[in-house]
Amino acid sequence: MATAVAIVLSSRGDEEAPTRSAASPSRTGSAAASEPVRFAEPPSACGLITADQAERLVPSFASRADAADDHSTGLPKSECWWSVADPGTRGGPALSVTLIADRSTAAARARFQEDRRTAAPLRTPDPERPFRDISGLGDEAYGSDRLSDEAEAAVVFRLGNLTAEIEYQAEGRAIGSLRENALQAARWVEAALKRQG
C-alpha cells in the first residue's frame, strides 16, 4: 500500500498542504492514455476531512500535513494525520489519508491493481490479514486489516488518476469498528474529491 493514498488523522495542529486543481485531459497516443487526468497533483489531504468529521473519529485531535513526492514512485503525494492531541495518551485513535496522483488514469489503474495483488493474502481467507473488495467507492476499492499488535483497518480506492489510502487505528476497539470508521473516512474523502474534481 505504499503507493496508495492514505488518510490519517492526527492531533498535532491544523496545517494543510495547498489544494491543487485538476489538470486538463491528457492527449497522448493510446486510448487509455487519452482518458482525462482529473488531478495534476493531489489536493490537500487535510482539506478533505472537516474538523467536525475528524472530531467524530479522533476526539480532541491535532493534525499535521505533508506534501512531497512519494519516495518510491516520485509521484506527487499529499498526506494528513489526525491523532489525539495529548502526547501522554497512548493507543488513542489515529486516522491518516494519503493521496497519490499518477500521470494518467491508465497508470493509476495498473498501479492500483498491483497494490491490490500485493495486499491480498496468499491464502484466502487469512485470519491475520483480512482482505475484501469494496463496491460503490471510487472507480475501484479494497480494504485490508492488520490484526497483530495494534489493530488497523485500511481502505484504498482509486478515482481517475488519483489513489487514496485511508488508515484508522484505535487500541482496544473491535476490528469491525475500525473498518466502519476507515470506510466512513474514505467516503468523506471521496465526496470531497468529487466536489473538487
Side-chain angles (χ1 to χ4, degrees):
M1 284 196 266
T3 58
V5 176
I7 298 173
V8 176
L9 295 180
S10 163
S11 59
R12 293 188 173 87
D14 292 321
E15 303 167 335
E16 283 189 24
T19 301
R20 295 168 180 108
S21 61
S24 60
S26 169
R27 299 289 177 207
T28 59
S30 72
S34 67
E35 292 180 72
V37 175
R38 292 179 75 168
F39 302 94
E41 293 185 28
S44 165
C46 289
L48 301 176
I49 301 276
T50 68
D52 288 341
Q53 291 167 338
E55 185 71 25
R56 288 173 54 187
L57 299 180
V58 184
S60 303
F61 73 90
S63 63
R64 67 183 167 93
D66 183 30
D69 290 346
D70 182 68
H71 71 286
S72 63
T73 65
L75 295 169
K77 176 177 75 172
S78 174
E79 296 179 283
C80 190
W81 299 267
W82 295 261
S83 60
V84 176
D86 180 4
T89 303
R90 287 185 41 88
L95 173 68
S96 69
V97 174
T98 303
L99 306 172
I100 295 180
D102 271 283
R103 290 172 182 85
S104 71
T105 299
R109 185 180 301 116
R111 194 168 50 75
F112 178 90
Q113 288 301 319
E114 180 59 31
D115 290 345
R116 185 191 175 284
R117 277 190 291 280
T118 301
L122 296 176
R123 61 186 171 117
T124 305
D126 183 339
E128 292 186 22
R129 288 183 53 204
F131 178 89
R132 65 216 166 276
D133 286 309
I134 299 171
S135 61
L137 179 65
D139 297 323
E140 52 191 336
Y142 67 87
S144 63
D145 307 322
R146 185 183 73 213
L147 301 180
S148 60
D149 299 333
E150 294 181 20
E152 176 181 88
V155 173
V156 180
F157 71 90
R158 182 184 63 78
L159 186 62
N161 69 308
L162 189 77
T163 305
E165 180 180 7
I166 294 84
E167 296 176 329
Y168 185 77
Q169 62 184 24
E171 195 172 288
R173 292 203 191 162
I175 194 65
S177 171
L178 298 179
R179 283 182 192 148
E180 287 175 22
N181 288 332
L183 184 58
Q184 179 61 69
R187 293 200 186 285
W188 290 334
V189 168
E190 178 193 32
L193 288 169
K194 286 182 173 181
R195 285 191 300 270
Q196 291 184 13

